[in-house]
Structure formats: C-alpha cells, structure tokens
Amino acid sequence: QYDDLVIQQELEGEFVNVSSGKIYYAFDRSLHVKECKFDGRYPLHGSVDFNVSPMTASIGQVINETLYIIDEF
C-alpha cells in the first residue's frame, strides 16, 4: 500500500524528501479539505497536541467511518 516515494525510502533505502514544506507531500487541499458542519446526531471528539508550540486542538465527528474535523484551535 506504499506510494512511490515511501517505497523509495523504506524499501529501496534511498534518501528522499517525503516531508517537504509544512504539510505532508501527499496532501492535496482540493481532495482533503471540504466544507464541514456540526451534525447533532453524532458525538463530538476532541484532540489536543501538547507536543507543538503553540499547543493545538481539534474538534471532530466520525460519520460513516469517516473523520470530519469541524474546527482547529
């Protein structure tokens, strides 16, 4: 299930840049970011990342086995 860059890095032992910039290289805003609104039928889930500065938090919902992030702080 590896993509080409991860195959080069993990299986072929090559030095490749899989984390250039601030966002993971496979991230595509047009595919991975969509309008998302709170749906009162599903519970809210919270997450806090203390390992970055400044600390970050997110609120989301799991709907039909898909995670939707409603907001990030």
Side-chain angles (χ1 to χ4, degrees), residues 4-59:
D4 291 338
L5 286 177
V6 175
I7 287 173
Q8 289 174 7
Q9 175 182 313
E10 300 297 327
L11 300 178
E12 297 173 0
E14 295 182 27
F15 291 100
V16 295
N17 187 357
V18 295
S19 59
S20 64
K22 293 185 175 185
I23 299 175
Y24 189 67
Y25 74 94
F27 179 80
D28 181 343
R29 185 168 298 280
S30 66
L31 295 174
H32 299 110
V33 176
K34 306 235 185 295
E35 181 74 23
C36 181
K37 295 182 181 177
F38 170 72
D39 188 331
R41 299 174 295 170
Y42 299 93
L44 289 172
H45 299 275
S47 172
V48 179
D49 188 349
F50 296 98
N51 199 29
V52 296
S53 181
M55 179 185 77
T56 63
S58 60
I59 302 293

